[in-house]
Each structure stands twice: as structure tokens, then as C-alpha cells.
């Protein structure tokens, strides 16, 4: 076959001689997306009040545990505002994510940042209607005072919870080794009671992997309609369960995510499946699994600039950056793009290429030692999802 199949068939196939003109034009338009830095991560601290057994952050944060100062936050927000000013698109959504560690350990800078963001909105230096702020938290420190802060600034919240108590408390523990579920449940109830837009982030562990297909039903009890599964990444996974086969774990995780989707009957999809559904059925090809190709700006607590919260690439510092600095122009960031499926010759014969976002560069480097290798976690998941979608079409 030397022609690109009709888009209605949901397939992209390389020509035996070269890519078709249709595909070349698609790639050209696709590349324009890299210059929209729609997400800012402010890592408010690399400290945490929990010691989740699968969390890679403590080992990645080799430097002294510090809190981000309000000045660093302000400079980071200003740098991101410069990025947006260059090519603002009113049809896109923009996000500021307060990250950690545990960001609620640094309430002072969080509150300062929220006030400063509102100020820039009023001055039309940041988007008004399509900018969202989100706190990514373990939920333990949420109380009525923090709830009032969230309500005042219309903050969305993502809480980490790995399912029912039995599964959550196996790995998600505090610094005394005690389970966290009861405190997390209390936070979820408080957030929903106060009508805070709340999501849940679920780590797929070796302990809960066979039960995640039922998690939509579980979270519905707490009125959580939207959540996302996270397939564990990095070498730490190998130490959680001695003798674990990565391929077996990735396969079980993929089956569980698909099983949960099947149980939901297509209603308010879990985040991982939503990306694939849109790519396949709505023909929104190539959903990026990572914003590190130019779409996200990461500011560490000490002001260092990176494109990834985990790889900690030091691309400068907000204290003294060149005013012309743009994350999408950085050579390392541009180099990363070579690992995406549409450029990677290893992926050229894969039928699922149209719905693959390339996975996680950090996981590829952790497991294989080479950032340009395929992320097998996402590779296995994507192929299984693609086969599932094809079967659904056949049986319609």
C-alpha cells in the first residue's frame, strides 16, 4: 500500500516510498503546536509530608529541601506571561499547576501567587476566561482555611488517592508509616461539600492493578466524576515488588484502564482513555503524552527553569534569564521532539501510531538509559487501546 488510508478509517500508514503529501502537511501543522506553552508548573517545594513508597520525587530532589519564595513565583509567572503574549490563542486552555512535593506546605507563596495571577488578569497580562489554576496535592493538609482560599480564587484541586482504603494505604503512607485514606476521604468530602472542582489522581500499583477496573464506581460514591490513572514509571517500580516483570505490569495496567472504561460505558472517561477516544473517534491525531516538547514551563523552588518536573533539566533561572528566552526554542527541548512517534522510524509500521503521544521521556530514560527510546508502558497501553477500538467498530 502506497497511499495514506482515508482518515475515516482512523488509520495512518506510511507510504512504501515516502510519506504522502497529506501526511507531510499534517506534520507541518502539528509542529505549530509546540510553540504554545499552555502550562506553567510552579514547584512550590520539594518537601513532602508523606512517604509514598512509589514516589520518585525524594530521590530526584537531591538538593536541600526548600520552599519557593514569592519572588521566584512572581518571576516564573512573568516569564510564562511573556510566552503567552507571543502567540495567545483564545481557543486554547491555559493552566497554572501548583506542584511539589506537597504544595500546601508553602501556603504563603501559594496565596501570593493566586493574588498576583488575579492582578495580571485584570491588567490583561494573563488570559481571563481560559486560564485555570490547579493545586496538585495529597489532600492531607486541606482544612476550612485552605478551602476558603480555593473558593476565593476559583482553584481546581487534584487529590492523590489510590482507591479504597485497602489499596490506598498499602503504599500511600505518612512519615510514620501510617495509611492516609481516612484523611484523604475527609479532604474529598470537604472539597465536594464546598463545591470545589475536584479531580483524583490514581497511581496504578502492583497491589491495586487487578482492581482498578472498578474504581469509577468507587469514586462515584464521593461524587468524583473525573480522575486519571497513572502507570508507575521509573526504576523505583522494580523495588516495590521483587521479581516484577515490567511487561506483565504494563499489560495488567492497560487491561485495567480499558476494563474501567468498559464499565463506565463511555460516560465521563478517565483521563488516559479520554485522550485516546478523542484521537481515534474525533480524529484528533497524536495526543501528546508529555508537555516537555515546548508546551510546559517548569519552575523549580530555587528558580531553575526546566521542561520536565522529573528530569530537572537546568535550562536557566528566573532570577537572570534572557528576556528572549522561550522554552520551545531551547535546543534540548527541540531535540526531544525526535522521540515522538511521527518522527521515530521505530514506530513507522505501528498501526496505533495515530493515537500515540510518545509516552514519558523520563520513563524511557530511567528504564532504558536513552531518552529517545520508546516508553514501553505507553506503547503497550496504546496498542491495546487501539485493538479495543477496532473491535468496537467491527461489532457495531
Amino acid at each position: 500500500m502506497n497511499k495514506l488510508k482515508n482518515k475515516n478509517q482512523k488509520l495512518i500508514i506510511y507510504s512504501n516510498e515516502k510519506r504522502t503529501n497529506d501526511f507531510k502537511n499534517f506534520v507541518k501543522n502539528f509542529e505549530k503546536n509546540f510553540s504554545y506553552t499552555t502550562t506553567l508548573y510552579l514547584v512550590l517545594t520539594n518537601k513532602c509530608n508523606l512517604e509514598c513508597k512509589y514516589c520518585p520525587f525524594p530521590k530526584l530532589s537531591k538538593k536541600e529541601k526548600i520552599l519557593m519564595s514569592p519572588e521566584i513565583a512572581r518571576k516564573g509567572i512573568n516569564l510564562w506571561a511573556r510566552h503567552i503574549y507571543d502567540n495567545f490563542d483564545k481557543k486554547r486552555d491555559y493552566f497554572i499547576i501548583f506542584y511539589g512535593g506537597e504544595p500546601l506546605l508553602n501556603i504563603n507563596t501559594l496565596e501570593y501567587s493566586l493574588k498576583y495571577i488575579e492582578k495580571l488578569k485584570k491588567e490583561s497580562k494573563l488570559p481571563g476566561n481560559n486560564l485555570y489554576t490547579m493545586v496538585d496535592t495529597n489532600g492531607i493538609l486541606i482544612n476550612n482555611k485552605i478551602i476558603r482560599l480555593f473558593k476565593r480564587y476559583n482553584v481546581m484541586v487534584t487529590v492523590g488517592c489510590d482507591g479504597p482504603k485497602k489499596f490506598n494505604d498499602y503504599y500511600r503512607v505518612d512519615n510514620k508509616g501510617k495509611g492516609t485514606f481516612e484523611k484523604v476521604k475527609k479532604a474529598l468530602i470537604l472539597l465536594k461539600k464546598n463545591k470545589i472542582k475536584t479531580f483524583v489522581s490514581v497511581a496504578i500499583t502492583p497491589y491495586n492493578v487487578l482492581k482498578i477496573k472498578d474504581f469509577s464506581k468507587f469514586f462515584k460514591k464521593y461524587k468524583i466524576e473525573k480522575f486519571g490513572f497513572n502507570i508507575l514509571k521509573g526504576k523505583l517500580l522494580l523495588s516495590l515488588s521483587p521479581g516484577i516483570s515490567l511487561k506483565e505490569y504494563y499489560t495488567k495496567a492497560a487491561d485495567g484502564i480499558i476494563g474501567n472504561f468498559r464499565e463506565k460505558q463511555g460516560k465521563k472517561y478517565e483521563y488516559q482513555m479520554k485522550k485516546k477516544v478523542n484521537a481515534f473517534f474525533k480524529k484528533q491525531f497524536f495526543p501528546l503524552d508529555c508537555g516537555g516538547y515546548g508546551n510546559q514551563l517548569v519552575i523549580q523552588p530555587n528558580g531553575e527553569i526546566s521542561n520536565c518536573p522529573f528530569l530537572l533539566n537546568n535550562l536557566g533561572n528566573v532570577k537572570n534569564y534572557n528576556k528572549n528566552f522561550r522554552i520551545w526554542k531551547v535546543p534540548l527541548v527541540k531535540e526531544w521532539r525526535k522521540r515522538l512517534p511521527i518522527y521515530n522510524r521505530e514506530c513507522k509500521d505501528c498501526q496505533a501510531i495515530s493515537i500515540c503521544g510518545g509516552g514519558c521521556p523520563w520513563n524511557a530514560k530511567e528504564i532504558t538509559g536513552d531518552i529517545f527510546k520508546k516508553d514501553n508502558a505507553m506503547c503497550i497501553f496504546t496498542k491495546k487501546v487501539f485493538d479495543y477500538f477496532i473491535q468496537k467498530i467491527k461489532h457495531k
Side-chain angles (χ1 to χ4, degrees):
M1 181 176 292
N2 58 9
K3 291 289 184 182
L4 185 72
K5 277 198 172 185
N6 190 295
K7 288 181 182 179
N8 290 330
Q9 294 176 271
K10 312 325 191 273
L11 297 173
I12 290 182
I13 297 178
Y14 280 83
S15 162
N16 288 337
E17 300 175 1
K18 62 180 180 178
R19 295 174 183 177
T20 65
N21 288 332
D22 280 350
F23 188 67
K24 284 182 177 179
N25 289 334
F26 171 78
V27 171
K28 185 177 180 180
N29 290 327
F30 175 74
E31 289 175 343
K32 294 178 182 177
N33 290 313
F34 295 133
S35 59
Y36 291 95
T37 307
T38 54
T39 303
L40 170 66
Y41 280 89
L42 291 177
V43 184
L44 295 188
T45 180
N46 48 13
K47 295 180 179 182
C48 190
N49 54 336
L50 298 188
E51 292 184 6
C52 303
K53 297 175 184 178
Y54 53 72
C55 180
F57 214 84
K59 291 186 178 180
L60 292 171
S61 302
K62 298 176 183 178
K63 299 177 181 178
E64 181 184 357
K65 300 294 188 287
I66 60 173
L67 302 178
M68 176 181 284
S69 69
E71 178 188 11
I72 293 294
R74 176 176 56 82
K75 289 180 179 293
I77 294 168
N78 287 343
L79 175 58
W80 187 58
R82 287 178 178 270
H83 282 65
I84 297 174
Y85 180 81
D86 280 0
N87 56 5
F88 174 67
D89 184 351
K90 64 181 180 180
K91 294 182 180 179
R92 295 175 186 263
D93 290 332
Y94 293 81
F95 297 89
I96 297 178
I97 300 175
F98 296 97
Y99 205 63
E102 172 49 51
L104 295 183
L105 289 171
N106 193 358
I107 287 293
N108 182 44
T109 298
L110 172 61
E111 185 167 9
Y112 171 87
S113 300
L114 292 171
K115 289 179 181 178
Y116 188 62
I117 291 164
E118 286 302 306
K119 176 178 179 293
L120 293 187
K121 281 183 178 181
K122 291 176 181 178
E123 295 173 354
S124 299
K125 293 178 180 177
L126 280 178
N129 298 324
N130 54 339
L131 169 59
Y132 305 91
T133 53
M134 176 181 287
V135 170
D136 194 311
T137 174
N138 56 44
I140 304 301
L141 298 176
I142 291 177
N143 55 31
N144 286 318
K145 181 179 179 180
I146 290 175
I147 288 288
R148 288 194 292 271
L149 181 67
F150 290 163
K151 292 182 76 170
R152 188 184 316 148
Y153 294 103
N154 197 28
V155 176
M156 301 187 298
V157 181
T158 296
V159 178
C161 179
D162 299 340
K165 180 180 176 64
K166 174 183 176 181
F167 300 110
N168 181 86
D169 288 357
Y170 197 82
Y171 290 117
R172 290 188 69 86
V173 297
D174 61 21
N175 53 19
K176 294 181 181 179
K178 295 183 178 180
T180 59
F181 179 77
E182 293 302 327
K183 291 181 179 179
V184 172
K185 180 176 75 171
K186 182 179 178 181
L188 291 175
I189 292 172
L190 189 60
L191 287 163
K192 295 305 294 184
K193 178 182 177 182
N194 285 276
K195 300 180 179 179
I196 305 293
K197 196 165 188 179
T198 305
F199 310 96
V200 167
S201 175
V202 182
I204 302 176
T205 71
Y207 193 65
N208 70 9
V209 66
L210 296 179
K211 298 294 183 179
I212 61 173
K213 64 182 178 63
D214 302 317
F215 277 14
S216 284
K217 294 177 182 177
F218 170 73
F219 286 121
K220 189 175 181 180
K221 292 192 300 183
Y222 299 98
K223 300 181 180 179
I224 303 295
E225 296 292 344
K226 293 186 178 181
F227 68 96
F229 284 123
N230 294 310
I231 299 175
L232 293 185
K233 300 175 178 67
K235 293 179 181 177
L236 192 59
L237 172 61
L238 299 172
S239 67
L240 288 181
S241 182
I244 188 173
S245 161
L246 287 180
K247 183 177 181 180
E248 182 183 0
Y249 164 75
Y250 294 153
T251 300
K252 288 179 179 178
D255 289 340
I257 295 173
I258 294 170
N260 181 81
F261 174 81
R262 190 183 288 116
E263 290 292 323
K264 285 285 288 182
Q265 297 296 317
K267 298 177 182 178
K268 294 188 178 180
Y269 317 122
E270 176 273 333
Y271 178 68
Q272 294 285 0
M273 286 298 292
K274 181 179 180 180
K275 291 191 297 182
K276 304 302 183 187
V277 167
N278 289 341
F280 190 85
F281 293 101
K282 297 183 181 180
K283 305 168 204 172
Q284 297 173 1
F285 299 119
F286 300 105
L288 292 174
D289 294 319
C290 170
Y293 308 107
N295 301 128
Q296 67 189 27
L297 186 67
V298 180
I299 310 299
Q300 297 294 338
N302 63 356
E304 287 182 359
I305 302 167
S306 179
N307 63 326
C308 172
F310 297 107
L311 276 171
L312 306 180
N313 299 311
N314 186 356
L315 307 178
N317 197 294
V318 295
K319 297 175 184 176
N320 52 14
Y321 65 87
N322 185 301
K323 68 177 182 179
N324 294 319
F325 174 91
R326 298 295 181 270
I327 194 74
W328 66 77
K329 293 181 181 178
V330 174
L332 180 143
V333 174
K334 295 168 77 171
E335 185 76 5
W336 270 34
R337 297 168 194 166
K338 292 179 181 179
R339 68 178 308 281
L340 288 170
I342 54 175
Y343 307 115
N344 190 339
R345 298 304 296 177
E346 283 189 70
C347 304
K348 71 182 182 68
D349 295 321
C350 180
Q351 286 190 320
I353 188 174
S354 64
I355 65 168
C356 182
C360 174
W362 175 68
N363 193 46
K365 186 173 182 179
E366 272 274 297
I367 300 300
T368 71
D370 186 348
I371 198 173
F372 294 101
K373 292 291 186 180
K374 291 189 291 186
D375 172 16
N376 286 328
M378 194 54 64
C379 191
I380 290 172
F381 172 60
T382 300
K383 288 177 180 178
K384 277 188 161 287
V385 170
F386 185 82
D387 289 343
Y388 171 70
F389 288 162
I390 292 296
Q391 291 303 313
K392 281 181 68 72
I393 289 176
K394 284 182 179 179
H395 290 93
K396 276 188 177 181

